[in-house]
Amino acid sequence: MKAVWIIENVCGLPKHFPADGKKRYLGLRALTVGEEKILKDAGFAPAAEPVFSPEDRELFLRDYVNLIGELSSEFNSRLWWATELSSKNRFNSNLPFLLQKFLTAVRAVQREDGDTLVIAGAPWEIVPSLKKFLGHSKISCRVVMNRPWIELRLLAGWLKRILSVTRQILDNLGRWAAAQGLGSRIRRSLKDGPFYCLKTFIYDSSFDADGNYKDAFFGPLVPFLEGEGKKVLIFANILGNYAGCVKKIAACGRPVIVPMEALASPFAIVADSLRALFYHVRSRKDLRFFGQGVRDIVNNELKASYCRISPYQILHYGYTKSLLKAAKIETFALTYENNPWEKMCMTALREDSPQTKIAGYQHTVVPQASANMFISKEEEKLIPRPDVVLTVGEAPKEIIGRYSPSRTVPVHAAGALRYQYLFSLPPLPRVREKKLLLALEGIFDVYHMVNYAMGQLKGSDWQVTVRTHPVLPLDAIRHKLACRPEDLPNFRLSQGTSLKEDMERSDAVMYWGSTVALEAAWAGKPVVHFNLQSVLSYDPLFECGAFKWVVTRNDSLPAALSAIHALDEPSFAAQRDSAKQYLQSYFHPVTPDSLRKFLLR
């Protein structure tokens, strides 16, 4: 390779390139038809985009976890642990995306043997590290980027962040004011400790018609603890209608329910929110990823995200301290995904109530992309953490152990508190009516799967039911869709039917990262995973190959569905039983023995 051009916009392509030689281009974003035409008219052919092997995925995950561990050892502080970047949450940090784009560009350069390579649509954050790599490789590099426009976007992002934090401050103060009607009643109740505290979430549906409370995350644990003589305290983040839920809490006899904001100081709400706004760090370490220097990528992401700390996350520190001033907490159990708010709660507990035992409950699935659940050796020495991690079953326990090289906190398989219904879910009959259920999750990028399915099946003899997630209605992604699913004769939206009903009438269920896949396979429905070809797998069934077909944007969906139809009954039953066996190791039933593990004896 003689020269590499890094361009942000294809329209900035120089008019005069060398007339001869082998010329290739690589798009680090989806290029438009017009952009590809400009490149092809200039004599460029598309470069083969590197494909990441399973071994690459394993190494990517381990290097990423270690990279965040290096940063954590450098920035170790309460404010650092409140950042989204420190949590490694795949939905809240842009760093894995940038690292994947950087690695894609590096591998394309290493693979191509032509004279000129144009890397189009490169995120500005990766350009300095890419230039250094090319310099070390003794490859000529030219960069065409609109720097003033980048600075303008950064300024606009900062103003948007100020407005966002201001809006959150006002919203949190409003929630604090709404909860004050419970103040005196709660304080009287909190004198009757010590308590077993469950940090959880409350929805409108958390109360039945008679006003009885049923926890959405810990469910049967509440009556079990009461049966064991424990005084249960619900430390609640209200996600439903706030004023309505406060009224239901006021009318609820037991357990004691404390909205997070009820005991807080309004001055602390403002002060901590402003700390979140003005926190800033910059790494000075020689950070490596796949052997390449990536410090500039990390620092540029910190700059672009303004070290993203949400007031929602950091305020859990003050909320927990306020609770500990009012009540004696013997045991504190919380859902555990290494989110910033969890670390804020645990930091407050370690500071103000070190005798309190902390149980972290891994309450949902652990795909490979759940890097937040994995801790490096560097982090392990520093990170706020529970005394024990309890999982929904044996398979998640093994996944966590595999990607956390050393763990001093014990991990035990408990029970699937949120998935009890699976054990009473009857097997669904096999259907061969060419009906596909498209199960969307509540993540914006799921629009890629919808576009793929429409492109593959529109005008076919397959009937497709699109089932949206409650937190992401179709309107939220409609502007990204190639067309309206409702306008296609063989597509329909699921409305007014249960998930069981939708699955029952379908031949197969297609998903990207939704836990519906586990429910479908458990009930005996074949599943089709849409692989977006990100380096880390979003598939909750990434370890399970049975009863599952995988398609990418370059594959034929009708061919995969035909393969499902072609299975004879013995083969179908064998695959179904193999998947069910794996799922039974993933989700353990809730029993008195599994519930006793929460007592931390």
Side-chain angles (χ1 to χ4, degrees):
M1 184 66 62
K2 294 179 181 178
V4 171
W5 287 72
I6 304 172
I7 61 176
E8 184 180 29
N9 192 322
V10 174
C11 295
L13 189 70
K15 293 181 179 179
H16 302 291
F17 269 97
D20 55 1
K22 184 179 177 182
K23 298 188 284 188
R24 295 284 185 267
Y25 72 88
L26 173 73
L28 288 186
R29 59 168 170 78
L31 302 181
T32 65
V33 173
E35 289 174 318
E36 289 186 337
K37 184 177 186 304
I38 291 173
L39 288 163
K40 289 175 181 176
D41 288 348
F44 285 85
E49 187 167 337
V51 176
F52 295 101
S53 67
E55 293 75 20
D56 290 329
R57 286 182 161 182
E58 294 281 324
L59 183 56
F60 189 102
L61 178 57
R62 294 184 191 280
D63 267 20
Y64 176 52
V65 170
N66 288 332
L67 176 63
I68 301 301
E70 286 287 312
L71 293 171
S72 296
S73 68
E74 183 177 11
F75 301 137
N76 181 27
S77 69
R78 176 167 67 93
L79 287 173
W80 165 252
W81 296 118
T83 64
E84 298 290 1
L85 195 145
S86 75
S87 77
K88 303 187 290 289
N89 188 306
R90 62 194 186 278
F91 302 123
N92 297 332
S93 172
N94 202 37
L95 186 57
F97 166 82
L98 295 173
L99 293 172
Q100 178 178 343
K101 295 302 180 185
F102 172 70
L103 188 57
T104 298
V106 166
R107 291 202 165 177
V109 170
Q110 292 172 333
R111 178 188 303 185
E112 291 293 329
D113 59 356
D115 296 293
T116 307
L117 174 68
V118 165
I119 299 176
W124 70 267
E125 293 93 334
I126 74 171
V127 171
S129 293
L130 198 50
K131 285 176 63 179
K132 288 178 182 178
F133 158 72
L134 293 169
H136 292 152
S137 302
K138 300 188 179 345
I139 296 174
S140 172
C141 175
R142 294 284 301 274
V143 177
V144 181
M145 302 200 87
N146 188 340
R147 192 69 206 183
W149 177 243
I150 293 171
E151 295 297 334
L152 187 61
R153 284 187 303 188
L154 287 171
L155 177 60
W158 174 243
L159 295 174
K160 183 178 178 181
R161 175 156 172 74
I162 292 173
L163 290 173
S164 173
V165 171
T166 302
R167 190 162 52 245
Q168 289 181 67
I169 289 173
L170 295 174
D171 180 59
N172 286 320
L173 289 175
R175 291 163 72 93
W176 170 84
Q180 292 314 293
L182 299 172
S184 58
R185 173 179 175 269
I186 287 174
R187 285 184 170 82
R188 286 195 301 271
S189 301
L190 294 182
K191 293 177 181 178
D192 189 27
F195 290 96
Y196 191 116
C197 179
L198 296 175
K199 170 62 182 66
T200 187
F201 301 86
I202 286 183
Y203 304 87
D204 296 334
S205 59
S206 296
F207 300 87
D208 65 20
D210 296 323
N212 299 312
Y213 175 74
K214 182 176 180 181
D215 194 89
F217 287 81
F218 292 98
L221 182 61
V222 175
F224 171 80
L225 292 172
E226 291 175 336
E228 290 288 314
K230 301 294 182 183
K231 295 173 181 175
V232 178
L233 187 158
I234 302 296
F235 191 40
N237 179 6
I238 297 176
L239 297 181
N241 176 276
Y242 197 89
C245 286
V246 166
K247 289 180 181 178
K248 292 177 181 179
I249 289 169
C252 185
R254 74 169 204 277
V256 177
I257 303 176
V258 180
M260 293 188 308
E261 302 83 1
L263 304 174
S265 158
F267 303 104
I269 289 175
V270 175
D272 266 350
S273 298
L274 292 177
R275 288 188 185 96
L277 181 62
F278 292 106
Y279 177 70
H280 179 70
V281 291
R282 185 174 179 83
S283 178
R284 299 182 182 278
K285 282 192 170 186
D286 178 25
L287 302 172
R288 315 297 291 183
F289 187 78
F290 273 73
Q292 303 296 332
V294 294
R295 180 176 62 191
D296 290 331
I297 296 176
V298 171
N299 284 334
N300 284 338
E301 168 57 13
L302 287 168
K303 180 180 180 180
S305 66
Y306 314 100
C307 298
R308 190 180 300 140
I309 299 176
S310 165
Y312 163 78
Q313 305 283 1
I314 197 172
L315 289 175
H316 279 73
Y317 175 77
Y319 291 157
T320 306
K321 280 184 168 283
S322 297
L323 175 69
L324 293 172
K325 287 179 183 177
K328 183 177 180 181
I329 307 298
E330 178 183 55
T331 307
F332 191 95
L334 71 168
T335 54
Y336 185 65
E337 298 176 277
N338 196 28
N339 288 317
W341 70 260
E342 298 163 14
K343 290 176 282 190
M344 295 300 96
C345 290
M346 290 187 283
T347 298
L349 284 159
R350 297 305 187 201
E351 290 177 356
D352 290 5
S353 186
Q355 74 282 0
T356 298
K357 297 275 179 96
I358 305 175
Y361 179 49
Q362 173 266 319
H363 61 98
T364 187
V365 296
V366 186
Q368 190 189 45
S370 285
N372 48 300
M373 290 300 299
F374 314 131
I375 297 174
S376 71
K377 291 181 180 179
E378 288 292 328
E379 283 179 292
E380 191 175 35
K381 305 169 188 174
L382 309 165
I383 193 169
R385 53 194 178 153
D387 294 298
V388 64
V389 174
L390 301 172
T391 69
V392 296
E394 189 66 29
K397 173 190 169 183
E398 292 178 358
I399 294 170
I400 292 170
R402 183 189 317 151
Y403 295 117
S404 294
S406 173
R407 182 178 281 275
T408 55
V409 173
V411 182
H412 300 306
L417 300 181
R418 294 178 66 198
Y419 296 93
Q420 290 181 90
Y421 64 91
L422 288 176
F423 297 92
S424 59
L425 190 64
L428 300 176
R430 184 179 186 183
V431 174
R432 287 178 169 175
E433 298 178 0
K434 291 198 170 184
K435 292 181 179 178
L436 176 69
L437 174 61
L438 196 63
L440 312 191
E441 59 188 304
I443 306 301
F444 183 76
D445 280 350
V446 78
Y447 76 85
H448 292 292
M449 182 175 73
V450 181
N451 280 336
Y452 168 78
M454 290 192 297
Q456 290 283 313
L457 297 179
K458 66 180 178 182
S460 75
D461 53 356
W462 276 86
Q463 299 297 312
V464 182
T465 298
V466 181
R467 185 178 181 88
T468 59
H469 192 281
V471 304
L472 190 77
L474 196 66
D475 285 344
I477 60 172
R478 196 179 291 280
H479 65 289
K480 284 287 189 177
L481 299 182
C483 63
R484 288 165 47 92
E486 308 97 304
D487 292 341
L488 301 177
N490 59 324
F491 277 69
R492 60 175 288 270
L493 298 183
S494 173
Q495 294 178 325
T497 54
S498 67
L499 174 60
K500 179 178 177 293
E501 290 172 316
D502 281 341
M503 288 196 302
E504 197 167 16
R505 61 183 62 152
S506 301
D507 299 38
V509 176
M510 185 173 175
Y511 71 102
W512 171 42
S514 173
T515 56
V516 169
L518 289 87
E519 300 176 54
W522 184 288
K525 288 293 178 179
V527 294
V528 179
H529 171 56
F530 176 64
N531 180 5
L532 202 50
Q533 294 182 294
S534 55
V535 177
L536 297 180
S537 174
Y538 282 65
D539 183 5
L541 290 170
F542 77 99
E543 285 189 319
C544 179
F547 216 43
K548 181 181 77 175
W549 285 255
V550 180
V551 293
T552 71
R553 279 182 284 203
N554 299 319
D555 296 322
S556 167
L557 180 55
L561 296 172
S562 295
I564 294 173
H565 267 207
L567 280 179
D568 58 35
E569 289 303 328
S571 300
F572 185 91
Q575 289 219 34
R576 179 194 61 209
D577 294 346
S578 178
K580 183 70 173 284
Q581 184 177 8
Y582 173 76
L583 291 169
Q584 286 172 333
S585 74
Y586 206 104
F587 295 124
H588 283 186
V590 176
T591 65
D593 286 341
S594 66
L595 291 170
R596 285 191 192 97
K597 294 181 180 181
F598 286 86
L599 295 175
L600 305 192
R601 288 172 177 165

